[in-house]
């Protein structure tokens, strides 16, 4: 008689499995997925994580400070080169701009402004009032050639060299749909809309280096970048007009 009563007693105390077995984090404010993440995060090497956070912070600091230091450097170069001959200034603008373009944090706009101030001012002092416009046009052409030269160096010297490394190709994700779509657009011959938009609107260094990693045609990439002159011209003229700012409000 005792055995059935014991079994009945156990059956009465047994609760449904769903009521007694709760998943981890079921009593917390977080979802199961986030709770699992927190459990895994407790196992991390937090000293190593802290070191990486500091490294990323330094990268962002350099990225933020570089344009400010660049303006100081270019202002100093304008002072140094102001007494040089016009051909020397043309060569200096091209060389300085090429070196700066090879640095990923450096934007192109200050380089074009730098050229506009130098070349237009020197042309006016050497050739008279009409020289200002000659110098402005020459500056636009020099900056355009500079942009194409920098893209060629980035693509052939950096991109194609890095593209030989398997881990670089894996990190870039050359096998992923997003990069494959970019590759498809850039491989279109001529001046297709998608190709021109990517080459003109994309960041200078990453776009050209990616083209090298993907082993794209240099001639076709340069052709797709050529319309960038429409972006360079206003910036270069802004530098030229800045040189004339003291002559009246028309140039401001």
């Amino acid at each position: 008689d005792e055995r059935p009563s014991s079994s009945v007693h156990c059956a009465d105390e047994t609760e449904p499995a769903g009521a007694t077995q709760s998943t981890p984090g079921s009593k917390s404010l977080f979802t199961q997925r986030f709770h699992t993440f927190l459990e895994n995060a407790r196992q991390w090497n937090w000293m190593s994580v802290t070191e990486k956070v500091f490294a990323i912070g330094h990268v962002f600091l350099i990225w933020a400070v570089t344009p400010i230091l660049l303006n100081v450097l270019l202002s100093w170069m304008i002072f140094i080169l102001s007494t040089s001959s016009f051909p020397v200034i043309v060569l200096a603008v091209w060389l300085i701009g090429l070196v700066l373009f090879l640095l990923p944090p450096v934007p192109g706009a200050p380089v074009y402004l730098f050229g506009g101030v130098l070349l237009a001012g020197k042309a006016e002092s050497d050739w008279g009032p009409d020289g200002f416009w000659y110098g402005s046009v020459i500056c636009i052409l020099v900056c355009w050639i500079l942009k194409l030269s920098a893209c060629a160096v980035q693509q052939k010297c950096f991109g194609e060299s890095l593209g030989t490394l398997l881990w670089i190709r894996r990190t870039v994700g050359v096998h992923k749909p997003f990069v494959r779509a970019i590759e498809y657009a850039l491989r279109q011959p001529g001046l297709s809309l998608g190709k021109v938009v990517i080459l003109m609107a994309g960041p200078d260094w990453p776009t050209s280096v990616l083209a090298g990693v993907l082993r794209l045609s240099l001639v076709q990439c340069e052709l797709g970048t050529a319309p960038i002159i429409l972006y360079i011209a206003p910036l270069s003229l802004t530098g030229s007009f800045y040189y004339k700012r003291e002559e009246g409000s028309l140039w401001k």
Side-chain angles (χ1 to χ4, degrees):
D1 295 335
E2 294 178 355
R3 187 174 301 170
S5 62
S6 176
S7 61
V8 172
H9 178 72
C10 292
D12 293 337
E13 293 182 351
T14 303
E15 297 180 358
T20 57
Q21 297 178 357
S22 59
T23 57
S26 60
K27 295 182 179 181
S28 71
L29 298 176
F30 306 122
T31 62
Q32 170 64 26
R33 183 175 181 180
F34 189 70
H35 178 81
T36 303
F37 167 77
L38 291 178
E39 292 297 324
N40 294 332
R42 292 177 183 177
Q43 308 301 322
W44 290 354
N45 183 350
W46 283 98
M47 183 61 69
S48 176
V49 171
T50 304
E51 292 176 355
K52 292 180 173 62
V53 169
F54 271 102
I56 295 174
H58 281 93
V59 170
F60 276 100
L61 178 62
I62 293 173
W63 204 279
V65 171
T66 296
I68 301 174
L69 298 179
L70 177 63
N71 291 334
V72 176
L73 172 64
L74 294 180
S75 298
W76 179 70
M77 292 303 302
I78 291 174
F79 174 75
I80 295 297
L81 294 172
S82 59
T83 57
S84 302
S85 63
F86 189 80
V88 171
I89 293 178
V90 170
L91 181 61
V93 169
W94 184 81
L95 285 175
I96 294 172
L98 184 62
V99 172
L100 293 176
F101 265 115
L102 298 182
L103 304 176
V106 175
V111 178
Y112 306 142
L113 295 172
F114 161 72
V117 172
L118 261 180
L119 293 178
K122 185 62 178 179
E124 184 180 47
S125 63
D126 288 354
W127 304 332
D130 292 339
F132 170 81
W133 296 108
Y134 299 148
S136 299
V137 173
I138 292 173
C139 180
I140 294 173
L141 296 177
V142 170
C143 291
W144 182 56
I145 295 172
L146 164 62
K147 168 66 176 179
L148 296 179
S149 302
C151 290
V153 173
Q154 291 164 356
Q155 179 175 340
K156 300 298 288 186
C157 297
F158 290 92
E160 292 191 1
S161 299
L162 294 174
T164 59
L165 303 176
L166 182 59
W167 71 272
I168 290 288
R169 297 179 64 85
R170 185 184 302 112
T171 303
V172 171
V174 296
H175 59 290
K176 295 182 178 180
F178 179 72
V179 178
R180 295 297 297 271
I182 293 176
E183 180 181 2
Y184 175 79
L186 295 180
R187 287 193 183 277
Q188 301 301 311
L191 295 170
S192 65
L193 178 61
K195 175 181 177 180
V196 172
V197 168
I198 292 173
L199 292 174
M200 287 184 57
D204 296 338
W205 212 86
T207 304
S208 298
V209 172
L210 177 62
V213 171
L214 297 175
R215 300 282 177 169
L216 301 178
S217 168
L218 176 62
V219 174
Q220 288 297 323
C221 287
E222 293 288 87
L223 179 61
T225 310
I228 196 69
I229 193 172
L230 300 177
Y231 169 78
I232 293 174
L235 289 173
S236 177
L237 288 174
T238 299
S240 301
F241 294 163
Y242 182 80
Y243 170 78
K244 303 275 285 184
R245 69 190 186 283
E246 300 297 337
E247 297 185 10
S249 59
L250 175 66
W251 303 102
K252 295 183 181 181

